[in-house]
Structure formats: structure tokens, C-alpha cells
Amino acid sequence: STRPFARQTDNCLTVRVNAIEPLGSKADVWLSTDQHPRIVARLDWPVELTPGRVTQVYVDVERVHYFDWDDANDERGGNRDAP
């Protein structure tokens, strides 16, 4: 989200917006940081972001899923749900 979640105002990342893929009422937004070159966020459409821009986004840690891109085809499937 581009706005903080209730009780989670510190869960903020500074990211570069790489691409936006509209999906009807949602959009997949491709983001990156220096340490994480591939982050995908599913946000409500329309989004208030512009490709190429560096901005801050807030993460709802109760709904996050982790995927290890390098291990996506291994026996574990690459899905790393939040603890």
C-alpha cells in the first residue's frame, strides 16, 4: 500500500517501481530494492505509483508471502509464507 496499515506504521520499504500490470480491480506492481531485485505487490487499482519512480510502500505483514525466485522449481516449490 502507499498508506500505512493500522498498527503497522513502521513496515515501510523504499522501492523503485519497475512495472505496473493492471488486473481489473487489482494490479501487480513490480518493485525492487538494492538487496531485493524482484518484489511483486498486489494492490488495489488504480495505483498511485509511476514506473521508474522511487517511493515508499507499506507492507501488511499479516498478509505477506515470500517466494525464493532461485528455488522456485525445487521440491519445496519456492513459497515461503510469513511465520
Side-chain angles (χ1 to χ4, degrees):
S1 172
T2 56
R3 295 182 184 89
F5 293 94
R7 300 174 310 280
Q8 296 187 31
T9 57
D10 293 335
N11 299 330
C12 184
L13 291 173
T14 299
V15 297
R16 175 174 297 281
V17 179
N18 298 313
I20 299 171
E21 181 180 1
L23 302 168
S25 65
K26 302 285 184 184
D28 281 352
V29 181
W30 294 76
L31 310 166
S32 61
T33 68
D34 290 341
Q35 289 87 16
H36 303 286
R38 288 186 247 179
I39 301 169
V40 180
R42 177 143 307 158
L43 303 176
D44 290 332
W45 181 260
V47 295
E48 301 170 1
L49 301 170
T50 304
R53 185 173 159 217
V54 174
T55 190
Q56 291 185 327
V57 294
Y58 294 86
V59 178
D60 183 350
V61 296
E62 295 175 5
R63 298 182 63 196
V64 72
H65 297 273
Y66 299 98
F67 295 88
D68 187 338
W69 292 90
D70 294 330
D71 293 335
N73 295 317
D74 73 7
E75 67 278 357
R76 295 170 291 166
N79 188 344
R80 309 289 190 268
D81 285 339

